[in-house]
Amino acid sequence: MSTHMVDINAPRMESHAGALPDGKPARLLRLADKALGVMSEVPAALLVVAEIGVLFSGVLSRYVLHTPLVWVDELASLLFIWLIMLGAAVAFRRGSHMRMTALVDAATPKWRGVFELVATVAALTWLTLVAHPAWEFASEEAAVTMPALDISNAWRAAALPLGIALILLMSVVRLLATSTLRVALLALLACGAVVGGLVMLQPVLQGLGNANLLVFFVGIVGLLVFTGVPIAFSFGLATFGYLSLTTSTPTIVVIGRMDEGMSHLILLAVPMFVFLGVLIEMTSMARAMVQFLANLLGHIRGGLSYVLIGAMYLVSGISGSKAADMAAVAPALFPEMKKRGADDGDMVALLAATGAQTETVPPSLVLITIGSVTGISIADLFTAGLMPGIVLALVLGLVVWWQARKSGAACSARATRAMIGKSLVVALPALALPFVVRAAVVEGVATATEVSTIGIVYALIVGLLVYRKLDLRQLWPALVDTAALSGAILLIIGTATGMAWSLTQSGFSGDLAAAMAQLPGGAPAFMAVSIIAFVLLGSVLEGIPAIVLFGPLLFPIARQLGIHDVHYSMVVVLAMGIGLFAPPFGVGYYAACAISRTKPSEGVRHIWRYMAFLFIGTVVVAAVPWISTGFLHH
């Protein structure tokens, strides 16, 4: 989601299969779909459990038994690539890969069907093209031996061709289930004609030089993304097309770059924090936090709006997934806000704005991604992320105060001290979690990846012993959901890494760096251009792919101009957050609407006010480096 967001309105595969006439082919397709579902979901969920076990055993052996297990990282890395590929398969079957649906949602039902067909055929095309290079890559890795485990690296690399083959089968089943055989064949023929046409144009394309970057990475990516093709497949198709048609680079390189990009051990924090976010909701820890804040501030005019800002700040520090944060806070607060006369549109606008406000609050997945692609210390990023979030919370608080004063919002009865005290006692174990997580990373007890497992074990113990709200029947679906969301996020990182590598190899990054470094006005001008660029990138691309693509290009320039790495990181993340949660393109805004069950049109009137103030807050953070770097150990 990083949001990391999933397309909540995307159809599930079963609904298509279920809509077919009850003939033999339809029953076979349903059976095939179910079998592929079991083949991907069961191992993916078990891999999440295995990763938690492996990482937590690493922490225990190092800090409790003082005998580090040398094979932990290798085994975690081996399991991780399988988790990504199987998770991506689960996400594909569910229709929950991240995609831009603004155009699709506005279309008539007939055209929507056409867009869905295009998305399926585009995915099918990319998977077919990379299947053989993935197999070659796994075969070459067979000669490499993992030093600690003393087994062939093929055990790890085989995840790529097998995962691709699984998703390829799913796309064939989906194509046959959602259209007649005639339409499916026509779609495939049309796709073949497009690929054939591009191959025939190869001599022309090779003569274009760097103009091909515009053709493939602006034209083709833009066309695919806007027609609703999942972002990961859009990036993958454009990169494969660019390398195979305009360069002499072997296509196996694409798979190597993908593998390198998405299997950074740091990124293992993604599934761990996503699962932790789910646990917080399941164990009622989020509800306990919100109840305490409501008792503390509920009597102030507009009090529950302040509670929403504070609760998102607290919860954001735990789950790392924006969709999980909003899903944890909104259901606990919105019914009470409605009772007190809050407007649906204003509530969803403030929810989306708090999503953007808390993007830097650790352990944010975007910060983890920045650390993985730029080499900046994640402990430094986590330490720095707290203050910018507070600055933006104060800015949003000003808007709430002004609105409440203007509208004369009703005040509710003040909670008694006894009620506040009681709710504080109930909330204390939950309130402690963000501090436990942060302290463990900042003090160096555990890495960003390992600390998530400490949080998971803590949440399980507190859920079982203190809140006694842990429904074990919900754990299995939660594990499958975690694998699906993680696979969707990490596949984008993989394909975006391939795309970023292509941009770097073409020399474009050097040209861009030179142009931005020579902007008149030096560092302030560069910072201003970066803010505007990342607001736009965040609205179209989502935070994580934007960072993977442009982080390696822009961070070195910022460094040359004397801007602190950590300061630049905070500004970039806040700017992307505004883009991610601002309509009409911001995916985060639609996720907020889906979670709060509000029509997107209702919040649009209100959100611009919040976004304008968030932009002012971001400019303040950019202008005052101390906000980001004041608490770092120099």
Side-chain angles (χ1 to χ4, degrees), residues 330-346:
L333 255 185
F334 277 18
E336 189 60 34
M337 289 175 82
K338 272 186 189 166
K339 268 191 224 162
R340 299 185 188 191
D343 174 78
D344 278 3
D346 190 53

Side-chain angles (χ1 to χ4, degrees), residues 39 46 75 78 81 121 143 245 327 334 350 366 405 426 444 465 512 516 532 549 585 591-592 594 615 629:
M39 283 164 66
L46 291 174
L75 182 58
L78 186 152
I81 194 78
V121 171
L245 295 172
F334 277 18
L350 182 58
V366 181
R405 195 165 152 264
V426 173
L465 302 182
L512 177 75
M516 286 191 79
I532 292 160
L549 283 175
F585 297 137
F615 189 81
T629 59

Side-chain angles (χ1 to χ4, degrees), residues 40-277:
S40 54
E41 286 182 8
V42 173
L46 291 174
L47 280 164
V48 176
V49 177
E51 286 288 24
I52 295 167
V54 168
L55 290 170
F56 192 66
S57 65
V59 177
L60 280 180
S61 66
R62 196 161 67 244
Y63 291 102
V64 179
L65 307 173
H66 303 295
T67 49
L69 302 171
V70 288
W71 46 262
V72 162
D73 282 0
E74 256 178 38
L75 182 58
S77 172
L78 186 152
L79 298 175
F80 185 37
I81 194 78
W82 282 95
L83 171 58
I84 294 168
M85 295 311 294
L86 290 168
V90 175
F92 186 85
R93 181 172 172 268
R94 291 177 165 199
S96 61
H97 271 281
M98 292 174 211
R99 53 200 286 234
M100 172 95 158
T101 56
L103 199 63
V104 181
D105 292 342
T108 60
K110 185 184 171 186
W111 274 102
R112 209 171 291 165
V114 172
F115 283 133
E116 291 297 341
L117 185 65
V118 169
T120 305
V121 171
L124 182 65
T125 308
W126 179 70
L127 293 159
T128 307
L129 290 170
V130 293
H132 186 255
W135 178 257
E136 274 188 294
F137 175 76
S139 306
E140 284 194 8
E141 290 294 303
V144 181
T145 304
M146 295 183 168
L149 292 172
D150 198 27
I151 57 171
S152 166
N153 206 36
W155 285 101
R156 187 187 159 284
L160 288 152
L162 289 172
I164 286 166
L166 193 58
I167 306 171
L168 184 57
L169 288 171
M170 287 175 178
S171 62
V172 171
V173 170
R174 176 177 295 181
L175 184 62
L176 294 172
T178 53
S179 54
T180 62
L181 195 59
R182 184 165 149 266
V183 170
L185 285 171
L186 279 171
L188 290 171
L189 281 171
C191 178
V194 171
V195 172
L198 283 169
V199 171
M200 284 167 70
L201 283 171
Q202 192 169 6
V204 180
L205 291 169
Q206 285 179 336
L208 289 176
N210 268 3
N212 279 313
L213 297 172
L214 280 174
V215 174
F216 286 92
F217 298 132
V218 178
I220 291 177
V221 168
L223 184 69
L224 292 169
V225 167
F226 279 98
T227 49
V229 176
I231 292 172
F233 300 119
S234 304
F235 284 3
L237 270 170
T239 306
F240 193 92
Y242 172 75
L243 288 177
S244 57
L245 295 172
T246 71
T247 72
S248 55
T249 311
T251 49
I252 189 172
V253 171
V254 181
I255 301 295
R257 295 294 150 203
M258 260 182 71
D259 175 58
E260 188 187 330
M262 64 189 176
S263 57
H264 262 290
L265 211 55
I266 284 172
L267 293 174
L268 188 44
V270 174
M272 300 295 106
F273 278 120
V274 170
F275 184 59
L276 179 53

Side-chain angles (χ1 to χ4, degrees), residues 422-504:
K422 189 182 170 190
S423 60
L424 172 60
V425 171
V426 173
L428 264 178
L431 289 168
L433 180 55
F435 301 101
V436 169
V437 166
R438 286 177 195 129
V441 175
V442 174
E443 296 304 319
V445 171
T447 64
T449 310
E450 292 169 336
V451 79
S452 50
T453 63
I454 296 173
I456 288 167
V457 172
Y458 178 89
L460 282 169
I461 292 168
V462 168
L464 284 168
L465 302 182
V466 180
Y467 295 111
R468 297 184 184 173
K469 279 276 174 70
L470 193 60
D471 182 354
L472 295 174
R473 286 169 304 183
Q474 290 180 320
L475 272 179
W476 183 260
L479 290 165
V480 178
D481 289 348
T482 298
L485 181 56
S486 306
I489 291 169
L490 291 156
L491 192 64
I492 289 183
I493 292 180
T495 53
T497 305
M499 193 159 141
W501 182 82
S502 304
L503 287 170
T504 312

Side-chain angles (χ1 to χ4, degrees), residues 403-417:
Q403 278 182 194
R405 195 165 152 264
K406 192 173 146 214
S407 66
C411 302
S412 62
R414 184 193 283 264
T416 64
R417 282 188 180 172

Side-chain angles (χ1 to χ4, degrees), residues 277 280-281 286-287 290 315 322-333 595:
I280 298 213
E281 205 185 341
R287 191 173 289 276
V290 168
V315 174
K322 279 286 156 279
D325 298 343
M326 294 191 292
V329 172
L333 255 185
I595 286 161

